[in-house]
Each structure stands twice: as structure tokens, then as C-alpha cells.
Amino acid sequence: MLNNLYFWIAFSWTVVVAYFCLAPASDIPSISIPNLDKLAHSFFHFVFTILWFLFFKKQVKKKNQTKLLIGAVFFSLFFGIGIEILQSRLTVTRNGDVFDVLANFTGALLALFFVLVAKQIRKNQS
């Protein structure tokens, strides 16, 4: 049951990210803060990576969690690249942007470091 919950939360977040990245730009509220979209990309992929890692971790017990975390980072990276390709090919109000991919990857790497630090803190408290 819990495995399904983790999956549906991660999947739902993936759908939200895809929607905001592929919806017409006119449908998304705009705020004129320079590079705010890069911060949004980083946040989206930070959460994306953590949620998919939690799902993977529940699926594969007693395995190397660091490998699962790195897998979640790469999943985030490839998903982000795929979204950018779709933006450049399927939308008329969006463009694929290599800097968005870098922002996505930055968010995924921040998630990786966050999980590793949290794991170390928990280990030190035991």
C-alpha cells in the first residue's frame, strides 16, 4: 500500500512539472523577477528527485540507497532533457533551453546532497 502511495505522489508531481513546462506560456502567471524560472526549474527537480528516490527506496529494500539516489538524479536529468525537447518540438510559446536543463540538474544535485546530509545526520544521531 505504501509503495503505491509513494508512486502516486511521485507520479502526480511529475504530471504537475510536465504541465507547467509544456502549458502555453500565456496560461502560466508571470512575475517579472530575473531568472525566477530557473529557480522554479531547480525547485521542481529537487522535489522530483526526492519523491522518486523515496519510491525507489520503498521498492528495493536492503539495496545500496546511494545507487537508488543517483538513479533518481539521472531520472530527473533525462526527464528534464525530454521536457526541453518537447518544448522545442511541440509547443509554439515555449523553447527548449540548455540553461533550464542546467537548472533542473542543479535541483537534482541539491536533492542528492540533501538526502546524503540527512542520512549522515541520522547516522550520527544513532
Side-chain angles (χ1 to χ4, degrees):
M1 171 73 177
L2 195 56
N3 290 344
N4 288 339
L5 180 63
Y6 280 111
F7 171 78
W8 286 112
I9 291 170
F11 180 77
S12 297
W13 185 257
T14 302
V15 170
V16 167
V17 171
Y19 171 76
F20 279 110
C21 291
L22 296 173
S26 59
D27 291 353
I28 309 293
S30 73
I31 301 171
S32 61
I33 298 174
N35 298 314
L36 181 63
D37 67 316
K38 303 306 181 249
L39 184 61
H41 277 268
S42 292
F43 173 75
F44 281 159
H45 283 266
F46 176 85
V47 174
F48 181 100
T49 303
I50 289 175
L51 291 176
W52 281 107
F53 166 67
L54 291 173
F55 169 69
F56 295 153
K57 186 173 129 178
K58 284 294 178 190
Q59 289 297 108
V60 183
K61 297 186 190 249
K62 304 284 183 178
K63 293 287 181 182
N64 186 336
Q65 290 185 9
T66 303
K67 286 183 182 179
L68 297 174
L69 180 57
I70 291 169
V73 168
F74 277 104
F75 182 41
S76 175
L77 176 63
F78 292 128
F79 176 76
I81 290 170
I83 289 291
E84 294 305 314
I85 291 169
L86 291 174
Q87 280 182 344
S88 67
R89 307 234 177 190
L90 298 181
T91 67
V92 292
T93 61
R94 303 284 190 133
N95 296 314
D97 183 1
V98 70
F99 292 111
D100 286 349
V101 172
L102 291 174
N104 299 343
F105 192 51
T106 299
L109 288 177
L110 287 172
L112 178 134
F113 290 121
F114 176 82
V115 170
L116 291 176
V117 167
K119 186 177 170 182
Q120 188 64 39
I121 289 171
R122 190 175 331 143
K123 183 179 174 182
N124 288 343
Q125 288 178 346
S126 300

